[in-house]
PDB file of all heavy atoms in Angstrom:
ATOM      1  N   VAL A 113       2.064   0.835  -2.372  1.00  0.00           N
ATOM      2  CA  VAL A 113       1.321   2.061  -2.677  1.00  0.00           C
ATOM      3  C   VAL A 113       2.221   3.081  -3.370  1.00  0.00           C
ATOM      4  O   VAL A 113       1.822   3.731  -4.338  1.00  0.00           O
ATOM      5  CB  VAL A 113       0.710   2.651  -1.389  1.00  0.00           C
ATOM      6  CG1 VAL A 113       0.142   4.042  -1.652  1.00  0.00           C
ATOM      7  CG2 VAL A 113      -0.383   1.728  -0.863  1.00  0.00           C
ATOM      8  N   ARG A 114       3.451   3.217  -2.898  1.00  0.00           N
ATOM      9  CA  ARG A 114       4.368   4.171  -3.531  1.00  0.00           C
ATOM     10  C   ARG A 114       4.667   3.786  -4.974  1.00  0.00           C
ATOM     11  O   ARG A 114       4.754   4.647  -5.850  1.00  0.00           O
ATOM     12  CB  ARG A 114       5.657   4.251  -2.710  1.00  0.00           C
ATOM     13  CG  ARG A 114       5.487   4.996  -1.399  1.00  0.00           C
ATOM     14  CD  ARG A 114       6.765   5.045  -0.606  1.00  0.00           C
ATOM     15  NE  ARG A 114       6.577   5.797   0.636  1.00  0.00           N
ATOM     16  CZ  ARG A 114       7.493   5.906   1.582  1.00  0.00           C
ATOM     17  NH1 ARG A 114       8.674   5.325   1.438  1.00  0.00           N
ATOM     18  NH2 ARG A 114       7.241   6.599   2.677  1.00  0.00           N
ATOM     19  N   LEU A 115       4.800   2.484  -5.226  1.00  0.00           N
ATOM     20  CA  LEU A 115       5.050   2.026  -6.590  1.00  0.00           C
ATOM     21  C   LEU A 115       3.860   2.320  -7.481  1.00  0.00           C
ATOM     22  O   LEU A 115       4.016   2.779  -8.618  1.00  0.00           O
ATOM     23  CB  LEU A 115       5.353   0.517  -6.569  1.00  0.00           C
ATOM     24  CG  LEU A 115       5.641  -0.146  -7.917  1.00  0.00           C
ATOM     25  CD1 LEU A 115       6.880   0.468  -8.561  1.00  0.00           C
ATOM     26  CD2 LEU A 115       5.833  -1.651  -7.731  1.00  0.00           C
ATOM     27  N   ARG A 116       2.658   2.089  -6.984  1.00  0.00           N
ATOM     28  CA  ARG A 116       1.446   2.348  -7.758  1.00  0.00           C
ATOM     29  C   ARG A 116       1.338   3.803  -8.176  1.00  0.00           C
ATOM     30  O   ARG A 116       0.855   4.123  -9.263  1.00  0.00           O
ATOM     31  CB  ARG A 116       0.207   1.984  -6.937  1.00  0.00           C
ATOM     32  CG  ARG A 116      -0.177   0.531  -6.959  1.00  0.00           C
ATOM     33  CD  ARG A 116      -1.335   0.272  -6.029  1.00  0.00           C
ATOM     34  NE  ARG A 116      -2.424   1.219  -6.219  1.00  0.00           N
ATOM     35  CZ  ARG A 116      -3.485   1.298  -5.401  1.00  0.00           C
ATOM     36  NH1 ARG A 116      -3.557   0.529  -4.346  1.00  0.00           N
ATOM     37  NH2 ARG A 116      -4.438   2.159  -5.645  1.00  0.00           N
ATOM     38  N   ARG A 117       1.775   4.712  -7.327  1.00  0.00           N
ATOM     39  CA  ARG A 117       1.544   6.134  -7.545  1.00  0.00           C
ATOM     40  C   ARG A 117       2.627   6.808  -8.383  1.00  0.00           C
ATOM     41  O   ARG A 117       2.540   8.011  -8.639  1.00  0.00           O
ATOM     42  CB  ARG A 117       1.439   6.848  -6.194  1.00  0.00           C
ATOM     43  CG  ARG A 117       0.199   6.442  -5.409  1.00  0.00           C
ATOM     44  CD  ARG A 117       0.191   7.074  -4.040  1.00  0.00           C
ATOM     45  NE  ARG A 117      -1.031   6.773  -3.309  1.00  0.00           N
ATOM     46  CZ  ARG A 117      -1.258   7.133  -2.048  1.00  0.00           C
ATOM     47  NH1 ARG A 117      -0.340   7.831  -1.394  1.00  0.00           N
ATOM     48  NH2 ARG A 117      -2.397   6.820  -1.447  1.00  0.00           N
ATOM     49  N   LEU A 118       3.624   6.049  -8.819  1.00  0.00           N
ATOM     50  CA  LEU A 118       4.757   6.655  -9.497  1.00  0.00           C
ATOM     51  C   LEU A 118       4.375   7.366 -10.793  1.00  0.00           C
ATOM     52  O   LEU A 118       4.845   8.458 -11.072  1.00  0.00           O
ATOM     53  CB  LEU A 118       5.824   5.596  -9.798  1.00  0.00           C
ATOM     54  CG  LEU A 118       6.719   5.189  -8.634  1.00  0.00           C
ATOM     55  CD1 LEU A 118       7.667   4.082  -9.066  1.00  0.00           C
ATOM     56  CD2 LEU A 118       7.507   6.395  -8.110  1.00  0.00           C
ATOM     57  N   LEU A 119       3.520   6.717 -11.604  1.00  0.00           N
ATOM     58  CA  LEU A 119       3.230   7.258 -12.927  1.00  0.00           C
ATOM     59  C   LEU A 119       1.724   7.430 -13.102  1.00  0.00           C
ATOM     60  O   LEU A 119       1.026   7.745 -12.157  1.00  0.00           O
ATOM     61  CB  LEU A 119       3.844   6.357 -13.998  1.00  0.00           C
ATOM     62  CG  LEU A 119       5.388   6.266 -13.956  1.00  0.00           C
ATOM     63  CD1 LEU A 119       5.884   5.203 -14.907  1.00  0.00           C
ATOM     64  CD2 LEU A 119       6.020   7.612 -14.263  1.00  0.00           C
ATOM     65  N   GLY A 120       1.233   7.186 -14.309  1.00  0.00           N
ATOM     66  CA  GLY A 120      -0.156   7.462 -14.616  1.00  0.00           C
ATOM     67  C   GLY A 120      -1.100   6.325 -14.317  1.00  0.00           C
ATOM     68  O   GLY A 120      -0.757   5.337 -13.663  1.00  0.00           O
ATOM     69  N   LEU A 121      -2.328   6.463 -14.827  1.00  0.00           N
ATOM     70  CA  LEU A 121      -3.395   5.517 -14.530  1.00  0.00           C
ATOM     71  C   LEU A 121      -3.048   4.110 -14.988  1.00  0.00           C
ATOM     72  O   LEU A 121      -3.250   3.132 -14.256  1.00  0.00           O
ATOM     73  CB  LEU A 121      -4.697   5.988 -15.194  1.00  0.00           C
ATOM     74  CG  LEU A 121      -5.879   5.031 -15.100  1.00  0.00           C
ATOM     75  CD1 LEU A 121      -6.234   4.733 -13.648  1.00  0.00           C
ATOM     76  CD2 LEU A 121      -7.081   5.598 -15.857  1.00  0.00           C
ATOM     77  N   ARG A 122      -2.520   3.975 -16.205  1.00  0.00           N
ATOM     78  CA  ARG A 122      -2.245   2.634 -16.709  1.00  0.00           C
ATOM     79  C   ARG A 122      -1.226   1.910 -15.844  1.00  0.00           C
ATOM     80  O   ARG A 122      -1.409   0.729 -15.508  1.00  0.00           O
ATOM     81  CB  ARG A 122      -1.764   2.692 -18.173  1.00  0.00           C
ATOM     82  CG  ARG A 122      -1.602   1.298 -18.760  1.00  0.00           C
ATOM     83  CD  ARG A 122      -1.584   1.353 -20.270  1.00  0.00           C
ATOM     84  NE  ARG A 122      -0.311   1.785 -20.794  1.00  0.00           N
ATOM     85  CZ  ARG A 122      -0.082   1.988 -22.097  1.00  0.00           C
ATOM     86  NH1 ARG A 122      -1.065   1.836 -22.974  1.00  0.00           N
ATOM     87  NH2 ARG A 122       1.107   2.366 -22.521  1.00  0.00           N
ATOM     88  N   THR A 123      -0.177   2.601 -15.468  1.00  0.00           N
ATOM     89  CA  THR A 123       0.828   1.977 -14.613  1.00  0.00           C
ATOM     90  C   THR A 123       0.236   1.619 -13.255  1.00  0.00           C
ATOM     91  O   THR A 123       0.511   0.550 -12.702  1.00  0.00           O
ATOM     92  CB  THR A 123       2.030   2.916 -14.423  1.00  0.00           C
ATOM     93  OG1 THR A 123       2.588   3.198 -15.702  1.00  0.00           O
ATOM     94  CG2 THR A 123       3.095   2.262 -13.548  1.00  0.00           C
ATOM     95  N   GLU A 124      -0.591   2.506 -12.707  1.00  0.00           N
ATOM     96  CA  GLU A 124      -1.224   2.203 -11.419  1.00  0.00           C
ATOM     97  C   GLU A 124      -2.090   0.951 -11.516  1.00  0.00           C
ATOM     98  O   GLU A 124      -2.068   0.095 -10.623  1.00  0.00           O
ATOM     99  CB  GLU A 124      -2.057   3.386 -10.932  1.00  0.00           C
ATOM    100  CG  GLU A 124      -2.786   3.097  -9.643  1.00  0.00           C
ATOM    101  CD  GLU A 124      -2.904   4.278  -8.704  1.00  0.00           C
ATOM    102  OE1 GLU A 124      -2.497   5.389  -9.080  1.00  0.00           O
ATOM    103  OE2 GLU A 124      -3.391   4.089  -7.577  1.00  0.00           O
ATOM    104  N   LEU A 125      -2.839   0.819 -12.600  1.00  0.00           N
ATOM    105  CA  LEU A 125      -3.675  -0.366 -12.763  1.00  0.00           C
ATOM    106  C   LEU A 125      -2.844  -1.633 -12.952  1.00  0.00           C
ATOM    107  O   LEU A 125      -3.209  -2.710 -12.467  1.00  0.00           O
ATOM    108  CB  LEU A 125      -4.620  -0.178 -13.948  1.00  0.00           C
ATOM    109  CG  LEU A 125      -5.721   0.867 -13.783  1.00  0.00           C
ATOM    110  CD1 LEU A 125      -6.550   0.956 -15.066  1.00  0.00           C
ATOM    111  CD2 LEU A 125      -6.611   0.568 -12.589  1.00  0.00           C
ATOM    112  N   MET A 126      -1.720  -1.515 -13.642  1.00  0.00           N
ATOM    113  CA  MET A 126      -0.857  -2.683 -13.840  1.00  0.00           C
ATOM    114  C   MET A 126      -0.275  -3.164 -12.513  1.00  0.00           C
ATOM    115  O   MET A 126      -0.208  -4.369 -12.242  1.00  0.00           O
ATOM    116  CB  MET A 126       0.252  -2.358 -14.843  1.00  0.00           C
ATOM    117  CG  MET A 126      -0.245  -2.152 -16.261  1.00  0.00           C
ATOM    118  SD  MET A 126       1.068  -1.682 -17.419  1.00  0.00           S
ATOM    119  CE  MET A 126       1.881  -3.275 -17.655  1.00  0.00           C
ATOM    120  N   VAL A 127       0.126  -2.216 -11.656  1.00  0.00           N
ATOM    121  CA  VAL A 127       0.648  -2.596 -10.344  1.00  0.00           C
ATOM    122  C   VAL A 127      -0.477  -3.134  -9.467  1.00  0.00           C
ATOM    123  O   VAL A 127      -0.313  -4.125  -8.748  1.00  0.00           O
ATOM    124  CB  VAL A 127       1.352  -1.404  -9.676  1.00  0.00           C
ATOM    125  CG1 VAL A 127       1.812  -1.765  -8.265  1.00  0.00           C
ATOM    126  CG2 VAL A 127       2.537  -0.948 -10.518  1.00  0.00           C
ATOM    127  N   LEU A 128      -1.638  -2.490  -9.545  1.00  0.00           N
ATOM    128  CA  LEU A 128      -2.789  -2.961  -8.787  1.00  0.00           C
ATOM    129  C   LEU A 128      -3.153  -4.389  -9.163  1.00  0.00           C
ATOM    130  O   LEU A 128      -3.554  -5.201  -8.312  1.00  0.00           O
ATOM    131  CB  LEU A 128      -3.972  -2.027  -9.032  1.00  0.00           C
ATOM    132  CG  LEU A 128      -5.291  -2.341  -8.320  1.00  0.00           C
ATOM    133  CD1 LEU A 128      -5.105  -2.299  -6.811  1.00  0.00           C
ATOM    134  CD2 LEU A 128      -6.367  -1.364  -8.759  1.00  0.00           C
ATOM    135  N   MET A 129      -3.004  -4.723 -10.443  1.00  0.00           N
ATOM    136  CA  MET A 129      -3.335  -6.077 -10.898  1.00  0.00           C
ATOM    137  C   MET A 129      -2.462  -7.128 -10.227  1.00  0.00           C
ATOM    138  O   MET A 129      -2.889  -8.269 -10.022  1.00  0.00           O
ATOM    139  CB  MET A 129      -3.206  -6.167 -12.417  1.00  0.00           C
ATOM    140  CG  MET A 129      -3.679  -7.486 -12.997  1.00  0.00           C
ATOM    141  SD  MET A 129      -5.451  -7.743 -12.849  1.00  0.00           S
ATOM    142  CE  MET A 129      -5.995  -6.903 -14.344  1.00  0.00           C
ATOM    143  N   LEU A 130      -1.229  -6.782  -9.874  1.00  0.00           N
ATOM    144  CA  LEU A 130      -0.367  -7.723  -9.152  1.00  0.00           C
ATOM    145  C   LEU A 130      -1.027  -8.134  -7.844  1.00  0.00           C
ATOM    146  O   LEU A 130      -1.049  -9.317  -7.482  1.00  0.00           O
ATOM    147  CB  LEU A 130       0.997  -7.095  -8.881  1.00  0.00           C
ATOM    148  CG  LEU A 130       1.797  -6.591 -10.085  1.00  0.00           C
ATOM    149  CD1 LEU A 130       3.080  -5.925  -9.607  1.00  0.00           C
ATOM    150  CD2 LEU A 130       2.109  -7.727 -11.043  1.00  0.00           C
ATOM    151  N   ALA A 131      -1.560  -7.142  -7.110  1.00  0.00           N
ATOM    152  CA  ALA A 131      -2.238  -7.435  -5.854  1.00  0.00           C
ATOM    153  C   ALA A 131      -3.483  -8.269  -6.081  1.00  0.00           C
ATOM    154  O   ALA A 131      -3.807  -9.159  -5.280  1.00  0.00           O
ATOM    155  CB  ALA A 131      -2.594  -6.134  -5.138  1.00  0.00           C
ATOM    156  N   GLU A 132      -4.177  -8.021  -7.181  1.00  0.00           N
ATOM    157  CA  GLU A 132      -5.409  -8.746  -7.455  1.00  0.00           C
ATOM    158  C   GLU A 132      -5.143 -10.233  -7.717  1.00  0.00           C
ATOM    159  O   GLU A 132      -5.853 -11.099  -7.216  1.00  0.00           O
ATOM    160  CB  GLU A 132      -6.142  -8.123  -8.647  1.00  0.00           C
ATOM    161  CG  GLU A 132      -6.571  -6.686  -8.437  1.00  0.00           C
ATOM    162  CD  GLU A 132      -7.690  -6.541  -7.425  1.00  0.00           C
ATOM    163  OE1 GLU A 132      -8.832  -6.912  -7.739  1.00  0.00           O
ATOM    164  OE2 GLU A 132      -7.410  -6.062  -6.312  1.00  0.00           O
ATOM    165  N   VAL A 133      -4.120 -10.543  -8.507  1.00  0.00           N
ATOM    166  CA  VAL A 133      -3.860 -11.956  -8.802  1.00  0.00           C
ATOM    167  C   VAL A 133      -3.275 -12.664  -7.586  1.00  0.00           C
ATOM    168  O   VAL A 133      -3.550 -13.848  -7.358  1.00  0.00           O
ATOM    169  CB  VAL A 133      -2.950 -12.134 -10.043  1.00  0.00           C
ATOM    170  CG1 VAL A 133      -3.646 -11.645 -11.300  1.00  0.00           C
ATOM    171  CG2 VAL A 133      -1.600 -11.464  -9.866  1.00  0.00           C
ATOM    172  N   VAL A 134      -2.479 -11.961  -6.776  1.00  0.00           N
ATOM    173  CA  VAL A 134      -2.003 -12.542  -5.522  1.00  0.00           C
ATOM    174  C   VAL A 134      -3.192 -12.837  -4.610  1.00  0.00           C
ATOM    175  O   VAL A 134      -3.257 -13.893  -3.964  1.00  0.00           O
ATOM    176  CB  VAL A 134      -0.999 -11.603  -4.824  1.00  0.00           C
ATOM    177  CG1 VAL A 134      -0.781 -12.012  -3.368  1.00  0.00           C
ATOM    178  CG2 VAL A 134       0.328 -11.599  -5.573  1.00  0.00           C
ATOM    179  N   ALA A 135      -4.149 -11.916  -4.564  1.00  0.00           N
ATOM    180  CA  ALA A 135      -5.331 -12.109  -3.728  1.00  0.00           C
ATOM    181  C   ALA A 135      -6.135 -13.333  -4.160  1.00  0.00           C
ATOM    182  O   ALA A 135      -6.702 -14.032  -3.309  1.00  0.00           O
ATOM    183  CB  ALA A 135      -6.208 -10.857  -3.774  1.00  0.00           C
ATOM    184  N   LEU A 136      -6.198 -13.601  -5.461  1.00  0.00           N
ATOM    185  CA  LEU A 136      -6.920 -14.788  -5.918  1.00  0.00           C
ATOM    186  C   LEU A 136      -6.353 -16.049  -5.275  1.00  0.00           C
ATOM    187  O   LEU A 136      -7.096 -16.885  -4.753  1.00  0.00           O
ATOM    188  CB  LEU A 136      -6.846 -14.907  -7.443  1.00  0.00           C
ATOM    189  CG  LEU A 136      -7.604 -13.885  -8.278  1.00  0.00           C
ATOM    190  CD1 LEU A 136      -7.413 -14.175  -9.768  1.00  0.00           C
ATOM    191  CD2 LEU A 136      -9.085 -13.870  -7.937  1.00  0.00           C
ATOM    192  N   GLY A 137      -5.031 -16.177  -5.312  1.00  0.00           N
ATOM    193  CA  GLY A 137      -4.409 -17.360  -4.725  1.00  0.00           C
ATOM    194  C   GLY A 137      -4.525 -17.383  -3.215  1.00  0.00           C
ATOM    195  O   GLY A 137      -4.775 -18.434  -2.609  1.00  0.00           O
ATOM    196  N   TYR A 138      -4.367 -16.230  -2.581  1.00  0.00           N
ATOM    197  CA  TYR A 138      -4.367 -16.161  -1.121  1.00  0.00           C
ATOM    198  C   TYR A 138      -5.746 -16.486  -0.550  1.00  0.00           C
ATOM    199  O   TYR A 138      -5.876 -17.338   0.339  1.00  0.00           O
ATOM    200  CB  TYR A 138      -3.925 -14.775  -0.672  1.00  0.00           C
ATOM    201  CG  TYR A 138      -3.910 -14.607   0.819  1.00  0.00           C
ATOM    202  CD1 TYR A 138      -2.832 -15.063   1.578  1.00  0.00           C
ATOM    203  CD2 TYR A 138      -4.966 -13.992   1.488  1.00  0.00           C
ATOM    204  CE1 TYR A 138      -2.814 -14.916   2.956  1.00  0.00           C
ATOM    205  CE2 TYR A 138      -4.957 -13.840   2.862  1.00  0.00           C
ATOM    206  CZ  TYR A 138      -3.880 -14.304   3.594  1.00  0.00           C
ATOM    207  OH  TYR A 138      -3.872 -14.159   4.963  1.00  0.00           O
ATOM    208  N   TYR A 139      -6.775 -15.807  -1.027  1.00  0.00           N
ATOM    209  CA  TYR A 139      -8.105 -16.019  -0.454  1.00  0.00           C
ATOM    210  C   TYR A 139      -8.670 -17.387  -0.816  1.00  0.00           C
ATOM    211  O   TYR A 139      -9.466 -17.939  -0.055  1.00  0.00           O
ATOM    212  CB  TYR A 139      -9.048 -14.890  -0.870  1.00  0.00           C
ATOM    213  CG  TYR A 139      -8.706 -13.581  -0.205  1.00  0.00           C
ATOM    214  CD1 TYR A 139      -8.294 -12.477  -0.955  1.00  0.00           C
ATOM    215  CD2 TYR A 139      -8.755 -13.441   1.181  1.00  0.00           C
ATOM    216  CE1 TYR A 139      -7.960 -11.282  -0.341  1.00  0.00           C
ATOM    217  CE2 TYR A 139      -8.418 -12.246   1.800  1.00  0.00           C
ATOM    218  CZ  TYR A 139      -8.017 -11.176   1.031  1.00  0.00           C
ATOM    219  OH  TYR A 139      -7.675  -9.994   1.648  1.00  0.00           O
ATOM    220  N   ARG A 140      -8.270 -17.929  -1.955  1.00  0.00           N
ATOM    221  CA  ARG A 140      -8.690 -19.299  -2.251  1.00  0.00           C
ATOM    222  C   ARG A 140      -8.079 -20.257  -1.243  1.00  0.00           C
ATOM    223  O   ARG A 140      -8.733 -21.190  -0.759  1.00  0.00           O
ATOM    224  CB  ARG A 140      -8.281 -19.702  -3.670  1.00  0.00           C
ATOM    225  CG  ARG A 140      -8.844 -21.067  -4.091  1.00  0.00           C
ATOM    226  CD  ARG A 140      -7.984 -21.745  -5.125  1.00  0.00           C
ATOM    227  NE  ARG A 140      -6.619 -21.955  -4.663  1.00  0.00           N
ATOM    228  CZ  ARG A 140      -6.262 -22.896  -3.792  1.00  0.00           C
ATOM    229  NH1 ARG A 140      -7.164 -23.712  -3.252  1.00  0.00           N
ATOM    230  NH2 ARG A 140      -5.005 -23.026  -3.433  1.00  0.00           N
TER     231      ARG A 140
END
Side-chain angles (χ1 to χ4, degrees):
V113 170
R114 287 179 179 174
L115 180 62
R116 277 175 49 189
R117 293 175 176 175
L118 281 177
L119 297 172
L121 174 59
R122 186 161 78 184
T123 301
E124 177 145 5
L125 291 179
M126 292 177 76
V127 176
L128 180 61
M129 187 68 86
L130 303 176
E132 298 290 288
V133 295
V134 165
L136 291 180
Y138 179 81
Y139 290 116
R140 187 207 58 76

